[in-house]
Structures are given as structure tokens and as C-alpha cells.
Amino acid sequence: MSKHDYDLLVLGGGSGGLAGAFRAAEHGARVALLEPHELGGTCVNLGCVPKKAMWLAAEMAQRSALAAQMGFNLAAPVLDWPEFIVHRQRYIGGIHASYRKRLDEARVVEVQSHGRLVDAHTVQCEDGTRISAGRILIATGGRPRRPAIPGVELGIDSDGFFNLCAAPARTAIVGAGYVGIELAGVLQALGSRVEIFARGSCLLQGFERELTTALEDNGRQHGLQYHFGFDLASVERAAGDGVVLVSTQGQRSERFDSLILAAGRVPNTGDMGLEQVGVHTDTHGFVQVDGKQDTNVDGISAVGDVTGQLALTPVAIAAARRLMDRLFGGKPEARLDYDNIATVVFSHPPLGSVGLTEAQARERHGDAVTVYRSHFRPMLHALADSPQRSLFKLVCVGPEQHVVGLHLLGEGVDEILQGFAVALKKGITKADLDDTMAIHPTAAEELVLMR
Ligand SMILES: Cc1cc2nc3c(=O)[nH]c(=O)nc-3n(C[C@H](O)[C@H](O)[C@H](O)COP(=O)(O)OP(=O)(O)OC[C@H]3O[C@@H](n4cnc5c(N)ncnc54)[C@H](O)[C@@H]3O)c2cc1C
């Protein structure tokens, strides 16, 4: 008999925590999971899922406009936002129910409470109850960062965005990372006039620059406005109603009805007893883990956004599953390979990326890098006489032209990228792409026809 109440105690019922709990239970471990809010964490409740629902609504609005341009007799589409939210939340409710059923079936004990570490094997719940376990998994995720500036309370963040019941007439978005870009695209497509304010000089830093520049141009065509080099110092209430943004250099924005702060995310590591137990965090509060997801304290591991590693749902899930395979499934070498993880920004059009950017490849491989591009107008947009274009870029290395990076901007790339990500991970060369017969007429065929 174990001297602990459980074999595994999971803090956090989001993507990583749930995946870890299910996989450990599959391996026969006795598992308890603590979650103070809705099951599913950020992804299901305030991230991927409601965001994708809003993106789909925005896509439909844009497609209706294209259809009208092509001769369909359609009135300008207006979204009944509250009705759409009913559909969105019903879908999310279904996910909650499915998780609850799966937890029951897996005999995972769910405790609706925030947890605080007491020692390396014990967690205290809000009501003072203590639970002990052989292993503890920290999967407490993160939350939006709110800059410490005067007037910050006048803005909402991505969590607040999901409470909106209509598109504000004019919206300012602070931040040009993927969350800011995605929310900007949705609101612009659904009728808001959106302006993006960013400290840096471009959108989506770290992504392939040629594509982000093309995305920026495309946004302008749809009416988005950008203010780069704008370092937000304060937010003021405008005369009448709304807000005005003020920069550190004294620039004042026009008046906006709504301000959305998309200025990064911070880990949920406060009030968790980490210092007491001696778990190391970095200067931003992210839990530090090694290549096997273990912290410096024996018996405590961490996965997902709380670790500051790639903040994506499939990454949190895969890291948790491999960790449980190692701890309870007899696979001592199981661990997540963080290289070549594909990601999509759900902008309009979407932007997908896997592997090295051209700049990263040149830094590592110098003149051995060859780049191929295809810049084209997708058929739908050509038919509707819309200016939107796609840009696909392939980064290859060495005489054999190993494909080390694939960067796609355009209609449908959110679905195109997955299969090509498998190929890149398997180590294909440009010749392999050349040998593959095109599927015609599609946008994806551009990837096997580049010269
Ligand atoms: C707007 C937005 C859009 C996104 N879109 C995408 C996307 O399209 N694709 C994608 O892959 N990723 C996306 N992400 C990122 C994705 O949501 C996260 O990477 C993922 O949810 C991380 O999972 P996690 O388990 O680490 O944390 P979370 O899902 O955040 O779960 C953490 C859970 O821990 C709980 N918790 C916190 N403290 C405690 C405590 N002390 N005790 C017990 N429980 C605690 C929280 O209540 C929460 O439920 C998006 C994120 C945002 C904000």
C-alpha cells in the first residue's frame, strides 16, 4: 500500500492537466485533479475554442461579402452576436460534459479547488483539506498580462473579449502578438473599425518576416490601421465615453469605444507555495523544468503554459502524456521533442508556420540556405476580384535541399499545413516535393510546384 492518498495529484484541469490525468489513469495510477474553475482551462473556455468559433463567424462574414461580389443576391451580412454566443457556449458546454464523463470513467477524483503546495507530496485545498500523492503535476497555465500603467482598468483583455455581446464601433488593440492579431481580424470582419498599437516595428515577431509584412498589407486592405513604435504609458477616459491611449513619448490616440490589451501572458504561479517547497521559477515566474518536464524538486513536474515553453494546447497535451508514459507507463525515455512544432495564427487570411524562418536558417547555415516562394491569388479571390493574395515560402538547406522551414499565408493554410508538417518532421528534401504529383486546382499544389 502506498503511504500517499494518490499516485498522482494534478494542479489544473486545462489542456495539460486533463491529458496528464487521463493518461496516468490509463496506466493504472490513482489520480486526483484540482481545478477551481471550469474544466478545459484556457483553451476550452477563454482561448482556442471560443476564438476559433469567433474566427469562423468572421470568415463567414468575409465569404458572404465575396459571394455578393460574385453575383449572389445577398444583403450585407450582420451577425446576431448574442445568438452566435448561444451556439458557441453550447459547443463549449458539450466539451465540459464530455470531460466530466471521461473523468468519471477513468475514476479520476475531481476536486473543485485551488491548490497550494505544502511539501513535495502534499497539496492544501481552499477548505484546508490536505491531499498527498507520490507525484505532483503543476499544470496551472497562465492568464493575460495587464501592464502596470494608469488607467489600465479601462481596458479589457482576451478573457474580457469573450464577454462582448457586439462589435464595438471603434476598437484599439494593444499588442501585435498572435492573440492581438487574431482578435483584431475577428472584430474588423464583424464590423468594428480596429487599430493596432504595438511597441515593436512589425506584427508577429518571430514569424517569417515576409509573411507578416504581407499580412499587414492585407489587413490594411481590409481597413485595419497600425501604430508601430507606440509604447503605451497610460489610458484616459475620453470626454463623453470611450478611451484615449497615451504613449511614453506623449502621443495621444483618437477616441475608441473599446480597448483590448493583448500584451502577453503571465504564469499562474502566485499563491501556490512554490517558494515554500523550493520549486525554481524564472524571473517572469514560469516554473523551470528540464527536458523530461521535471522541476528541481524531486516528485514535482510541470507542463504547459506555466513552464513558459511553447504555449500551445497540443504541446501541453503531448508533454503531459509523455510524462505520464515515463512515470507510470514503463517508458523511461518518453519525452516531448520541442523541435519543428507547427503553429497557425488564425488571422484573416491565416498564417501557418513550421520549422526555421529564413533568418534563423541563415544564422545557422549561412549561404547553404535556398529559399523558394510562391505568391499567387487564390481562385476564389480571383473570381471575386478581391485583392487578397497568398504567399508560400519554403526554406531549404544544403546541396540536398533539406526542407527546414515552411511558412504559409493565405486562404486554407490552417488546414494545409498539418500534412506538410509531418513531411518536414520526417526530413524531406525539395526533390521529394518535386516528385509529388500536384492536386489541381488547389492552393496546396503550389507547395509541390515551386521553382
Ligand atoms: C486567446 C487565446 C487563443 C488561443 N488560441 C490557441 C490556438 O488556436 N491553438 C493553440 O494550440 N493554443 C491556443 N492558445 C493557447 C492555449 O490555450 C494554451 O496553450 C493551453 O490552454 C495551455 O494549457 P495548460 O494546461 O498549460 O493551461 P490552461 O489551459 O490555462 O489550464 C490551467 C488551469 O489551471 C487552473 N489553475 C490555476 N491555478 C491553479 C491552482 N493553484 N490549483 C488548481 N488549478 C489551478 C486554471 O483555472 C486553469 O483551468 C490560445 C490562448 C489564448 C489566450
Side-chain angles (χ1 to χ4, degrees):
M1 279 293 283
S2 161
K3 57 184 175 165
H4 299 296
D5 301 330
Y6 294 94
D7 299 316
L8 173 72
L9 194 149
V10 180
L11 290 175
S15 310
L18 283 166
F22 288 134
R23 183 56 66 94
E26 257 174 52
H27 290 310
R30 296 167 308 137
V31 184
L33 178 139
L34 266 67
E35 170 56 63
H37 302 118
E38 295 280 15
L39 287 173
T42 305
C43 174
V44 171
N45 301 293
L46 298 162
C48 333
V49 176
K51 180 278 301 285
K52 182 77 187 278
M54 299 311 294
W55 182 83
L56 287 167
E59 280 283 296
M60 286 170 112
Q62 289 194 335
R63 282 188 170 242
S64 305
L66 288 177
Q69 271 166 258
M70 286 192 294
F72 279 87
N73 185 5
L74 295 175
V78 178
L79 178 68
D80 180 340
W81 198 306
E83 180 172 345
F84 184 75
I85 290 177
V86 171
H87 291 282
R88 187 184 82 193
Q89 296 310 116
R90 183 173 41 78
Y91 182 82
I92 290 173
I95 301 179
H96 293 153
S98 144
Y99 276 140
R100 184 135 292 116
K101 182 161 173 277
R102 286 178 62 199
L103 286 174
D104 284 350
E105 286 167 356
R107 296 178 184 275
V108 172
V109 174
E110 187 205 347
V111 183
Q112 284 199 340
S113 172
H114 173 275
R116 194 170 200 287
L117 291 165
V118 177
D119 61 43
H121 296 283
T122 315
V123 165
Q124 181 163 320
C125 304
E126 284 158 29
D127 65 0
T129 313
R130 291 189 173 193
I131 303 175
S132 71
R135 304 276 326 187
I136 292 177
L137 174 64
I138 302 174
T140 51
R143 61 184 187 283
R145 185 177 79 83
R146 296 188 69 89
I149 52 164
V152 70
E153 69 285 355
L154 297 172
I156 59 172
D157 51 34
S158 62
D159 292 358
F161 166 81
F162 294 113
N163 290 329
L164 289 178
C165 288
R170 290 194 71 181
T171 308
I173 295 191
V174 171
Y178 84 91
V179 172
I181 297 310
E182 292 182 340
L183 302 189
V186 165
L187 285 170
Q188 184 75 25
L190 295 180
S192 194
R193 274 172 57 207
V194 181
E195 299 187 26
I196 294 177
F197 294 79
R199 192 188 291 165
S201 58
C202 64
L203 306 181
L204 297 170
Q205 258 167 21
F207 283 83
E208 180 63 52
R209 187 65 189 262
E210 252 179 284
L211 268 69
T212 61
T213 306
L215 179 64
E216 199 182 306
D217 292 343
N218 192 75
R220 276 196 194 93
Q221 284 164 11
H222 284 100
L224 276 172
Q225 287 187 46
Y226 306 97
H227 305 270
F228 293 116
F230 191 102
D231 192 7
L232 185 66
S234 62
V235 185
E236 293 177 8
R237 203 177 285 283
D241 202 9
V243 297
V244 169
L245 280 55
V246 184
S247 79
T248 47
Q249 294 179 325
Q251 299 152 276
R252 295 177 67 80
S253 74
E254 291 182 14
R255 183 200 149 279
F256 292 94
D257 300 290
S258 181
L259 162 65
I260 301 180
L261 298 156
R265 293 180 62 82
V266 291
N268 287 327
T269 42
D271 192 28
M272 270 186 60
L274 293 180
E275 316 76 40
Q276 190 178 324
V277 178
V279 174
H280 287 168
T281 53
D282 70 11
T283 48
H284 302 288
F286 290 102
V287 174
Q288 291 188 303
V289 289
D290 62 17
K292 292 176 163 180
Q293 306 295 148
D294 286 338
T295 70
N296 61 306
V297 175
D298 207 21
I300 303 183
S301 309
V303 296
D305 289 10
V306 75
T307 64
Q309 293 170 300
L310 260 184
L312 292 169
T313 278
V315 173
I317 292 174
R321 286 182 179 158
R322 283 162 179 71
L323 173 66
M324 296 310 153
D325 288 346
R326 178 169 68 80
L327 297 178
F328 301 107
K331 294 186 178 169
E333 297 311 319
R335 61 168 74 191
L336 180 62
D337 171 10
Y338 282 84
D339 279 344
N340 293 325
I341 290 175
T343 183
V344 163
V345 179
F346 287 92
S347 43
H348 297 272
L351 186 155
S353 204
V354 59
L356 302 181
T357 62
E358 181 182 352
Q360 288 166 338
R362 290 207 184 279
E363 212 177 291
R364 284 193 205 174
H365 304 285
D367 291 342
V369 174
T370 322
V371 169
Y372 297 86
R373 351 177 134 64
S374 173
H375 198 204
F376 60 98
R377 196 136 76 121
M379 193 170 176
L380 176 67
H381 290 270
L383 288 171
D385 206 18
S386 135
Q388 185 173 303
R389 294 175 75 85
S390 297
L391 175 58
F392 290 3
K393 192 163 166 179
L394 196 62
V395 183
C396 303
V397 165
E400 303 227 304
Q401 303 214 340
H402 282 286
V403 179
V404 296
L406 263 170
H407 308 281
L408 316 177
L409 172 72
E411 170 125 351
V413 307
D414 48 321
E415 298 292 345
I416 293 172
L417 184 64
Q418 188 75 75
F420 283 97
V422 176
L424 185 138
K425 187 97 183 157
K426 286 286 167 203
I428 55 158
T429 62
K430 172 74 168 66
D432 294 320
L433 290 173
D434 297 341
D435 278 348
T436 305
M437 207 44 60
I439 303 170
H440 183 72
T442 62
E445 70 179 318
E446 295 294 328
L447 278 167
V448 297
L449 296 173
M450 286 188 187
R451 295 183 64 84

